[in-house]
Structure formats: structure tokens, C-alpha cells
């Protein structure tokens, strides 16, 4: 009995000692991190123009993120639009100093480019911080155009507006409708979602397939539009009663394409650091990101800006990127042809 | 919406704005915007983006007072830099350089500033009135204007520009063709096929407006300045007297102010256009209707009045679709829309309903009144500072030139934060210098750059969305009639004054100088080489650049053939720019090299230092003061305050000193 008690006491002592070492190590790390970030500025590079959905996510998060990073640095948002986010991603991969003071808000574009032969960097070398929300597409029609899903399925062909080939609107508009066998007349080349909205208002086009959060952020007032289709993943209660793509899929190829659409949504916005950023700082940023996503003030600010918050960890995001890049060659070729600008 | 409701809401909106806390934020916005407008490249929209986190925490009216103050003041003070220094303070103030700076060079800076401020105020009032009254018409307008009408508007802008060059029509058209060709650099807007990008991702989004405006317009003016003692002659007229003369010019040209304001507000209504387009359309319209169109380009006061009025009226027009349909009419309006949504003000029909019924009509009128007051404050403040600002035109050129070059290089970088834009600006500066030296018009290149992308994009969208039916839309036919009238009217005017036009035609038909002939041949070679490249571009992406380059090649060939066929040996007119300072030209690549190697913070002041020592020949104390001032300006304002991400120079990066 005495021996057993002694053994338990030894085990407890060892466990406490290990815990104490880790904590002091963590505390030492956190002290170092706090000392590093104190008085400095963290830049969030956004690969989109000011005023859009991506930009809004970064700006709403910035001040709350600053309070959660040890040392409470200043956090600013910088826009580096171009090539659907590729200019910002390339800058992050090749030019940004990997010191933990620069992170980028990326979209799916860098992963798509890696499906083809023109990638200038491996997207997997960028340490992922996290994502504030995955997203999924909705196909949205102008209320005055008078479309219904039944009419669409019966063969009425809407004119669907898209920005440039390779953009999310083009990816959603082409892949999702292809997956479901729905006919569309693509009208490609609008400079941005504002122009697509204007085109719907003038009757030039009938619809657009855009991410849910972008729709809510950029297509106010919402009652001018009818949402006829959405994807089941990620789950959302934004549009109850709207049919999901899963309910309408009829072929295996359709299921494959739908998985790609969901991957586009999962990677629609996530933060990453430059390759070579010290692991302790990556961890510090990850922890700060998680705390921000749980912060009541941030959640209230996001709700006020009508931004959905459904955080994803770096583990989930990395798994999606790996899965996409491990697609069979014929799928990769098809995706590269559809989704790559400049190819 | 009854008239009673409208008037009551208008009065309530005024009541909001007159509250001291609102006026404080408005004043702060005007101060910030005024400073931003003077610095080339920074931009009102980018400043709003920087301040959005601060805005989120403020009450709604105060937040918008700040933002409207910034946007309004930027549109006003950007013109001041254009007039005084020949460097556009904003991309929307480029047209003001064309006639404003020549006026400053003549010693009429005060007159130009007076005309600009008065017409800016007039334009802003028109824009505010349009916002208040035109808001109910937003929905029918949104239905009527689509891609076909936008394409025709781009054609209209080009058509208006043609008579700008009545004295040298072929040359102007050729330069315009070059501008159109430059607009096709980048990814094709539809198929994303790269065109003339040479594997550079930084060119995927095309050529930035600021580097183009600075290279084509500002650099030649600066190089010309280096060959003179100062911008203006020492014995210029007193500032205040000429300022009032300029105000009187604007009042006398009230028709120009009214028409240009209408153009500005009208263009602002259309998404994606904004002040960059409205300034040139207004300028071209004023030139076309002027009784002295040949003065445009060399210091016509109407050439200052028109773009200033249009610029400031644009915001009022742009806010209409922004507030009622959630469709931003300009980049600044897009930023304001973001702020609206974050503050919980949803754009839509509620903007037309009084607050007691759950709407935001009073807020809408408050925005209109904010525009009025912001522009009034900006105009008064600029008038107060004008005496001091005009003194800049008498600073000796040896001191001013390196500072202006510093501002130009900063402005080229700041718009898109790309070092490659410095090289683009330098390349376009070479073209701009040649055009300036041979007295070819430069503004058609910028007009082509601004309108070319719009024209191509909207033409293909029209064809895809409507098939051939777009040609018969009422709006298309109406604009086509206006375009036809724009060609007929000058022809009829030429018939009424045959002698004056014949003299002008004869003078403009002087034979090309030998250097000029070589220049045309080089341009032709470049255009043909670019055309050859389009043959390798697949599909529809090749159509627009191919057609434009072919037409430009034909125009350049016509210039050479016409020159060859002329039997009269009319001597080449003496150039007023034969005092261009070639040492200053040589220093342009030195600036680029130093910034590339050492970065902005060290390289730019180093370049200023070398210029002052080698070319400026200033005293040591002056050299030290200006160099240290340049360093502090970049380090304290650009890097620390504005947090601009200047890349480290390649030498510093190689030596590991870039942390």
C-alpha cells in the first residue's frame, strides 16, 4: 500500500514537474513574443480592392486581432489587389519578410494556380493561421427577372454574370451549374461585383453565382434578389428553404465537381504567413486568431457588419489544400483549364 | 415622396450638419483630405481605407462627416498640385495639368487657382443638388444604362477628344491609338489571357493611371522646368488680384461650369467610371465648344474650369446608385458603401423614406449638406493658403526639380505599391518627353488609356449579353446622335471661318523635323512589333489590341507619307522646349537606379543629394537641409505615419540590411 502510494506520488511529482517546465517554457516563449510584438505593427495584406467582402473581413478583424496578440501591436490592413489575389500571395511567398509582422488574407487562387504548370511557389509552404469563415456559393437572380429553380431545371437559360476566368464568380458559375447539369449563358468580363449588380439591375444579365458572405456584404438590399440555389456545405441558416446542390446531384461527375466547389468555398478566405516565419510566432498568431474568433466584441462587430464567423483551423485548411493538390491528373487538368487565369 | 417630406428632411439634414461635433469631424476630414490631395498618388479612397477602423467606433454622422470631408477636399486640392507643379495630385486631377500648369508658367497661377477653386465649389454644389433631387430617379436610370450605353459613352469620350487636336489631328489620333494599345496591357478582362505582360505578374492588372499620368504629363514639365530659372517668371502679377480674376473667369464661364458639372455628376452615376473618366470628357467637351479651341493645351482657363467642376460633381452623382441600389459609382463611393454597411445603414428604398417612418432620408440630405460645407471649407482654406502656395512657382528650379522628382517617384509607387510601376513611369516618361519635345499632344494617350479598357470590356459584354440587339437600344442611338453631332459641329464652324482654319491648318502641316521623323519611325516599329505579338494571342483577346495597333500603324504611316509628299518647305516651328535640361533627363535613370538599389528611404534622398550637388549646384547648407528634409518626409510621414510598405533596395537585401 505504502509503495503504491509512493509510486503515485512520484508520478504526480513528475507530471507536475513536466507541466511546470512546459508552462515556464510557454511563458518564456510568450514573454519573448510579447516583447517582440510590443510597439510594432502587423500588416495584413489583402489581395483585393478596398470595400469588397475580403477587405471587410480583414478590417473588421484588425483592431480585435491586435488586442489578442501578446504585446498588443498595431495591426493595419493593406490592399494589394491584382490577378485575383495572386499578386498579394506572390508577394507574401517571395518578398515579405518572414518575421511574423506580415500575414496575408488569401483566397483559393494560389491553390488553383498550383494545379497548372505556372505556379511560382508552393502554397503549402505558407504557414496557415486560420480562416474566419468558409463559404459556399449561392446562385442569385434579380427579383424582377422572374426566374424559378423549376424553370431553370426545365431548360430556361439564364445569363449569368462573371468576372474574369479563374475568379470565384466564374468558378462557382461554371463548376456548380456544370455539376447539376443546369444550362447557363456565361457573360464574362465584369470588372467586379458592383458592375455585376448594376448589370442585374439593368436587366443585362439575370443572375450571378457568388459566395454567400460576399452576397450578404455586397448585394444590399437583399430583397431585390432571389436565392435559388446554394450548397449544403458549409452549413448555413442564412437561406432556409433554398434547395441545396446535394439534393439535385444526379451523376458521379457532378459529385466530383461539387467537391471542388466546396473546396473553393473552404479556401475562400484564410490567413497565412510567409514561408520561414519562426514557428513560435506562427503559433502566437494562431492562438491570437483563435482568441479573436471567440471574442465577444469581435463577434458583435462582425454581426453588425453582417459577416458570418465560422472559424476553421490551419489543420482543416491544410487538409483541403492537400486533397485538392492530390486530385487525379484528369481532374487537375480540367480544374486548371477552368480556374487558372493566365493559362 | 411628398414635397413637404423632402423639404422637412432637407432642413433636418442641415440641422444635423450644423451641430458642433459634426463640424469638427468635417473640418478634420477637410484637413486630412486637403493634405492627401496635394501628395501625388495617395488618393482619397486609400485614405478612407486607412481610416475605416477608426470610423467603425464613431457615431454614424460624425464618421461620415470625416469621410465626406476627406473625399471632398481631396478632389479640390489635387488640382492645386496639378496647377502649381505640373504634377497631378490625384489621378482625377490629371486633366488640370494640361492647361493649369501652363498658366502657372505664365505667371497666372493665382488666376488658375481662383478659377479651379470657384469651379470646384460650383461642381460640388451641383453634385450635392443632384444627390438631393436625383435620388428618386436612380432606379429608372439603373434600368436604362447598361454595357451598350457605357461602350457608347467611351466612344463619345474619344470622339470629343478628336477635335482637341484639330491643329494636328493625325498626330493626336496616333497618340490616342497608343493610349488605347496601352489599355490592353494585362489580362484580357474576359478570358484572362495575358497580353503584353512578358511573364510579369505585376502587369496582369495593366498599367496604373498614376504612373502613366506622372510619366506622360509631369516628367516632361519637370525636365522643362530644369531648363528655366523657376516655374513662373519672377515679375508675375500679385497673387490676390489674379486669384479674383480666376474666380471671375469661372463665374463668366458659368455655362462651362454647369455643363462640366452635369458631365461629372452623370458619369458618377455610372458604376466603374468615376472622376478619371469625367475629367477628360468634360475637358474635351469644353475644348470642342470653346471659341478658341487652339488655346487648349497651352493655358486656356476653361481647360482648368471644366475638369475641376466635373471632378467635384462626380461624388454627388456617384452617391446616388450607392445609396439607393448599393452599387458604388466610384472607388471613393465603394469605400463609403463599406462604411455604410458597417454602420448598419442599408442602402435601398429606405433612403427615400423619412426617419420617423423607419427610413434614412434625413441622413441622405445630411450627406449632401456635408459635401456642400466640406467643399466650402476646402475652397476658403485653399484661398487663404493660395498666396503661400503660389510662392512655390518662384522657387528656383535647381531646388524644386529634385523635390518634384521625389514626389513623382513616390506617387508612382504609392498607387499600387509596386516597384515595377517606377519602371513603367520611367518608360512612359521617355515617350512623354519625346512627345513634348516634338510638340505632339500628350493628353490623347491618357484619354485612350482611361477609355480604352472600358470600351473593349463593354463592347464584348454587350455582344455576349444582347447579341446584335444592343445596336438598337434607345440609349445607344441617342449617344450615337451626339457623337455624330460632335463631328458635324466643328465642320460647320470651320466652314464659317475658312481663313482662320486654313492658316492653322497650314501651320500645323509643317514638315517633320529630322529627329521627329526618326521618332515616328521608332513608334511605328514598336507598334508593328506589338501587332506581331497580337498574332500569337488566341481568340477574341487579340481583336481589340490588334485592331487598335493596326489603325495606329496606319495613322503613323500616314504622317510619314504625308510628310514625304509635302512640297512646301515650311520650316519646323521653333520649339519652346528646346531649353529642356538634358542633365535632368539623365538623372531620371539615376533616380530609378538608386531607389532600386537602396530603397526609397535611402535611395530617394541620395538621388536628391546627387542632383543638388551635380546639377542644382546649391550651397552645402541648402543641400544638407533639403536632403535631410526628404529623408524625414519619407521616413516619418510615408513609413511611420502612413505605414507604406516600401521594399528594401536590392543592395540592402543582398547585404542582409533589409530588416
Amino acid at each position: 500500500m505504502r509503495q503504491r502510494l509512493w509510486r503515485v506520488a512520484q508520478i504526480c511529482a513528475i507530471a507536475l514537474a513536466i507541466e511546470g517546465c512546459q508552462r515556464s517554457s510557454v511563458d518564456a516563449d510568450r514573454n519573448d513574443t510579447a516583447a517582440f510584438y510590443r510597439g510594432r505593427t502587423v500588416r495584413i495584406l489583402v489581395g483585393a480592392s478596398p470595400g469588397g467582402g475580403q477587405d471587410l473581413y480583414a478590417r473588421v478583424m484588425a483592431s480585435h486581432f491586435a488586442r489578442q496578440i501578446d504585446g498588443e501591436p498595431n495591426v493595419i490592413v493593406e490592399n494589394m489587389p491584382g490577378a485575383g489575389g495572386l499578386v498579394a500571395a506572390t508577394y507574401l511567398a517571395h518578398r515579405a519578410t518572414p518575421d511574423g509582422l506580415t500575414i496575408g488574407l488569401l483566397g483559393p487562387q494560389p491553390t488553383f494556380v498550383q494545379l497548372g504548370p505556372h505556379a511560382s511557389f508552393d502554397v503549402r509552404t505558407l504557414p496557415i493561421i486560420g480562416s474566419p469563415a468558409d463559404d459556399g456559393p449561392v446562385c442569385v437572380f434579380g427579383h424582377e427577372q422572374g426566374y424559378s429553380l423549376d424553370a431553370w431545371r426545365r431548360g430556361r437559360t439564364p445569363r449569368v454574370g462573371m468576372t474574369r476566368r479563374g475568379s470565384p464568380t466564374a468558378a462557382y458559375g461554371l463548376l456548380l451549374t456544370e455539376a447539376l447539369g443546369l444550362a447557363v449563358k456565361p457573360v464574362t468580363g465584369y470588372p467586379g461585383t458592383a458592375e455585376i449588380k448594376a448589370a442585374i439591375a439593368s436587366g443585362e444579365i439575370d443572375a450571378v453565382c457568388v459566395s454567400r458572405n460576399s452576397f450578404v456584404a455586397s448585394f444590399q438590399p437583399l430583397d431585390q434578389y432571389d436565392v435559388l440555389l446554394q450548397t449544403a456545405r458549409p452549413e448555413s441558416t442564412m437561406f432556409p428553404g433554398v434547395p441545396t446542390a446535394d439534393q439535385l446531384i444526379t451523376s458521379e461527375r457532378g459529385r466530383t465537381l461539387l467537391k471542388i466547389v466546396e473546396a473553393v468555398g473552404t479556401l475562400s478566405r484564410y490567413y497565412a504567413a510567409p514561408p520561414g516565419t519562426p514557428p513560435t510566432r506562427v503559433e502566437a498568431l494562431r492562438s491570437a486568431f483563435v482568441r479573436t474568433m471567440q471574442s465577444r466584441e469581435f463577434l458583435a462587430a462582425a454581426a453588425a457588419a453582417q459577416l458570418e464567423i465560422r472559424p476553421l483551423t490551419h489543420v482543416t485548411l491544410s487538409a483541403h489544400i492537400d486533397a485538392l493538390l492530390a486530385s487525379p491528373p484528369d481532374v487537375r487538368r480540367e480544374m486548371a483549364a477552368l480556374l487558372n487565369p493566365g493559362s | 415622396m411628398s414635397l413637404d417630406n423632402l423639404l422637412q428632411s432637407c432642413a433636418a439634414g442641415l440641422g444635423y450638419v450644423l451641430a458642433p461635433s459634426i463640424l469638427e469631424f468635417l473640418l478634420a476630414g477637410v484637413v486630412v483630405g486637403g493634405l492627401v490631395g496635394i501628395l501625388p498618388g495617395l488618393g482619397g479612397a486609400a485614405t478612407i481605407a486607412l481610416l475605416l477602423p477608426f470610423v467603425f467606433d464613431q457615431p454614424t454622422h460624425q464618421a461620415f462627416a470625416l469621410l465626406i470631408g476627406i473625399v471632398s477636399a481631396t478632389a479640390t486640392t489635387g488640382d492645386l498640385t496639378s496647377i502649381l507643379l505640373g504634377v497631378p495630385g490625384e489621378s482625377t486631377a490629371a486633366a488640370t495639368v494640361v492647361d493649369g500648369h501652363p498658366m502657372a508658367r505664365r505667371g497666372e497661377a493665382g488666376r488658375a487657382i481662383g478659377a479651379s477653386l470657384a469651379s470646384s465649389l460650383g461642381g460640388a454644389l451641383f453634385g450635392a443638388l443632384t444627390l438631393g433631387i436625383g435620388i428618386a430617379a436612380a432606379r429608372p436610370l439603373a434600368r436604362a444604362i447598361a454595357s451598350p450605353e457605357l461602350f457608347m459613352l467611351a466612344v463619345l469620350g474619344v470622339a470629343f477628344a478628336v477635335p482637341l487636336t484639330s491643329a494636328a489631328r493625325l498626330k493626336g489620333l496616333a497618340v490616342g491609338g497608343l493610349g488605347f494599345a496601352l489599355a490592353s496591357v494585362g489580362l484580357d478582362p474576359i478570358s484572362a489571357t495575358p497580353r503584353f505582360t512578358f511573364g510579369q505578374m505585376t502587369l496582369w492588372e495593366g498599367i496604373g493611371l498614376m504612373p502613366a499620368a506622372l510619366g506622360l504629363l509631369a516628367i516632361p514639365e519637370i525636365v522643362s522646368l530644369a531648363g528655366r530659372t523657376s516655374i513662373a517668371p519672377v515679375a508675375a502679377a500679385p497673387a490676390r488680384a489674379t486669384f479674383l480674376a480666376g474666380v471671375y473667369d469661372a463665374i463668366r464661364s458659368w455655362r462651362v461650369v454647369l455643363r462640366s458639372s452635369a458631365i461629372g455628376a452623370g458619369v458618377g452615376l455610372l458604376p466603374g467610371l468615376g472622376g478619371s473618366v469625367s475629367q477628360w470628357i468634360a475637358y474635351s467637351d469644353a475644348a470642342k465648344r470653346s471659341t478658341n479651341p487652339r488655346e487648349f493645351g497651352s493655358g486656356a482657363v476653361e481647360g482648368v474650369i471644366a475638369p475641376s467642376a466635373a471632378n467635384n460633381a462626380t461624388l454627388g452623382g456617384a452617391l446616388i446608385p450607392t445609396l439607393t441600389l448599393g452599387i458604388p459609382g466610384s472607388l471613393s463611393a465603394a469605400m463609403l458603401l463599406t462604411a455604410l454597411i458597417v454602420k448598419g445603414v442599408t442602402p435601398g428604398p429606405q433612403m427615400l423614406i423619412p426617419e420617423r417612418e423607419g427610413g434614412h432620408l434625413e441622413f441622405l440630405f445630411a450627406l449632401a449638406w456635408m459635401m456642400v460645407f466640406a467643399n466650402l471649407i476646402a475652397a476658403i482654406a485653399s484661398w487663404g493658403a493660395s498666396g503661400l502656395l503660389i510662392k512655390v512657382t518662384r522657387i528656383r528650379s535647381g531646388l524644386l526639380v529634385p523635390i518634384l522628382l521625389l514626389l513623382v517617384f513616390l506617387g508612382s509607387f504609392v498607387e499600387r505599391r509596386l516597384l515595377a510601376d517606377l519602371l513603367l513611369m520611367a518608360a512612359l516618361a521617355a515617350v512623354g518627353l519625346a512627345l513634348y519635345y516634338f510638340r505632339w499632344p500628350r493628353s490623347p494617350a491618357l484619354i485612350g488609356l482611361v477609355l480604352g479598357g472600358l470600351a473593349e470590356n463593354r463592347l464584348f459584354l454587350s455582344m455576349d449579353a444582347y447579341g446584335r440587339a444592343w445596336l438598337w437600344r434607345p440609349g445607344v442611338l441617342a449617344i450615337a446622335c451626339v457623337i455624330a453631332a460632335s463631328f458635324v459641329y466643328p465642320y460647320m464652324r470651320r466652314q464659317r471661318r475658312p481663313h482662320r482654319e486654313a492658316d492653322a491648318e497650314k501651320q500645323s502641316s509643317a514638315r517633320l523635323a529630322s529627329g521627329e521623323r526618326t521618332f515616328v519611325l521608332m513608334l511605328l516599329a514598336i507598334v508593328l512589333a506589338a501587332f506581331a505579338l497580337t498574332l500569337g494571342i488566341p481568340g477574341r483577346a487579340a481583336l481589340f489590341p490588334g485592331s487598335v495597333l493596326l489603325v495606329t500603324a496606319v495613322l503613323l504611316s500616314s504622317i510619314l507619307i504625308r510628310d514625304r509628299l509635302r512640297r512646301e518647305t515650311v520650316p519646323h516651328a521653333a520649339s519652346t522646349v528646346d531649353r529642356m535640361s538634358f542633365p535632368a533627363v539623365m538623372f531620371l535613370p539615376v533616380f530609378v537606379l538608386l531607389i532600386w538599389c537602396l530603397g526609397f528611404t535611402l535611395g530617394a534622398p541620395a538621388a536628391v543629394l546627387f542632383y543638388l550637388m551635380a546639377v542644382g549646384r546649391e550651397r552645402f547648407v541648402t543641400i544638407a537641409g533639403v536632403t535631410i528634409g526628404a529623408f524625414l518626409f519619407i521616413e516619418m510621414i510615408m513609413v511611420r505615419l502612413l505605414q507604406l510598405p516600401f521594399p528594401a533596395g536590392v543592395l540592402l537585401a543582398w547585404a542582409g540590411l533589409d530588416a
Side-chain angles (χ1 to χ4, degrees), chain A residues 9-62:
Chain A
Q10 280 178 325
I11 291 168
C12 287
I14 291 168
L16 277 170
I18 292 171
E19 169 69 14
C21 286
Q22 278 186 339
R23 187 171 295 221
S24 67
S25 162
V26 165
D27 282 346
D29 284 344
R30 284 192 72 168
N31 287 339
D32 289 341
T33 307
F36 172 76
Y37 279 110
R38 197 167 293 120
R40 286 190 149 104
T41 298
V42 172
R43 290 191 296 149
I44 301 179
L45 295 181
V46 176
S49 299
Q54 290 287 69
D55 182 66
L56 195 55
Y57 265 100
R59 291 189 190 280
V60 170
M61 191 188 86

Side-chain angles (χ1 to χ4, degrees), chain B residues 524-560:
Chain B
L524 183 59
I526 292 170
V527 167
L528 289 172
F531 179 75
L533 285 175
T534 65
L535 299 174
I537 298 172
R540 208 159 60 163
L543 271 181
F544 183 80
S547 313
V548 160
L549 286 164
L550 199 57
V551 167
T552 308
V554 166
L555 289 166
L556 290 169
S557 306
S558 305
I559 293 171
L560 289 170

Side-chain angles (χ1 to χ4, degrees), chain A residues 14-138:
Chain A
I14 291 168
L16 277 170
I18 292 171
E19 169 69 14
C21 286
Q22 278 186 339
R23 187 171 295 221
S24 67
S25 162
V26 165
D27 282 346
D29 284 344
R30 284 192 72 168
N31 287 339
D32 289 341
T33 307
F36 172 76
Y37 279 110
R38 197 167 293 120
R40 286 190 149 104
T41 298
V42 172
R43 290 191 296 149
I44 301 179
L45 295 181
V46 176
S49 299
Q54 290 287 69
D55 182 66
L56 195 55
Y57 265 100
R59 291 189 190 280
V60 170
M61 191 188 86
S63 58
H64 302 277
F65 190 44
R67 288 197 277 275
Q68 302 298 338
I69 301 175
D70 295 329
E72 294 192 25
N74 188 24
V75 175
I76 61 168
V77 174
E78 276 178 25
N79 297 94
M80 196 177 275
L86 273 177
V87 172
T90 307
Y91 177 88
L92 198 69
H94 289 302
R95 304 293 304 275
T97 308
D99 56 4
L101 292 176
T102 305
I103 62 175
L105 180 57
L106 308 181
Q109 207 58 46
T111 309
F112 293 154
V113 171
Q114 203 162 325
L115 294 171
H118 301 297
S120 67
F121 64 92
D122 185 343
V123 71
R124 291 167 290 196
T125 61
L126 306 176
I128 296 175
I129 309 296
S131 166
D134 55 355
D135 217 335
V138 287

Side-chain angles (χ1 to χ4, degrees), chain A residues 41 43 50-51 56 59 76 78 82-83 86 90 144 164-165 185 188-189 195 197-198 202 204 217 220-221 224 342, chain B residues 49 139 142-143 146-147 189-192 201 204-205 325-327 335 338 341 346-347 457-458 461 464 466 643 645:
Chain A
T41 298
R43 290 191 296 149
L56 195 55
R59 291 189 190 280
I76 61 168
E78 276 178 25
L86 273 177
T90 307
E144 291 181 4
R164 183 180 284 154
R165 187 167 73 102
K185 183 177 180 343
T188 313
E195 287 79 6
K197 273 180 72 174
S202 68
E204 180 168 302
Q220 298 285 349
Q224 289 179 4
Chain B
R139 221 166 272 278
R143 284 204 194 91
S147 290
I190 293 165
S191 64
M201 199 180 286
W204 279 14
E205 293 299 313
L325 302 170
I327 299 173
M335 297 308 302
T338 303
I341 293 170
T346 307
N457 185 220
R458 292 296 173 170
L461 282 171
D464 286 346
Y466 298 99
Q643 312 268 352

Side-chain angles (χ1 to χ4, degrees), chain B residues 227-315:
Chain B
R228 307 196 305 273
T229 48
S230 62
I231 293 175
V234 175
R240 294 249 185 264
T242 57
F243 181 90
L244 288 172
V247 172
Y248 181 60
D249 283 326
I251 294 170
R252 216 168 27 143
S253 308
W254 63 271
R255 286 188 190 85
V256 177
V257 174
L258 204 57
R259 233 178 8 249
S260 302
S261 301
I263 289 171
V267 168
L269 272 172
L270 309 172
L273 298 185
S276 298
V277 172
S278 66
Q279 58 170 332
W280 290 110
I281 295 181
Y283 181 84
S284 307
D285 172 70
K288 182 189 274 302
R289 292 173 187 272
S290 170
T291 49
N292 295 302
R294 273 186 301 287
E295 278 183 21
F296 276 74
S298 46
V301 72
E302 287 164 333
V304 172
I305 290 170
S308 299
N311 213 353
N312 282 63
T314 304
L315 179 63

Side-chain angles (χ1 to χ4, degrees), chain B residues 350-368:
Chain B
Q350 306 92 293
M351 299 305 291
L352 301 176
I353 298 170
E355 277 172 9
R356 63 177 179 277
E357 294 169 29
H360 301 294
L361 186 57
E362 286 80 355
F363 176 71
L364 186 149
F365 278 108
L367 290 179

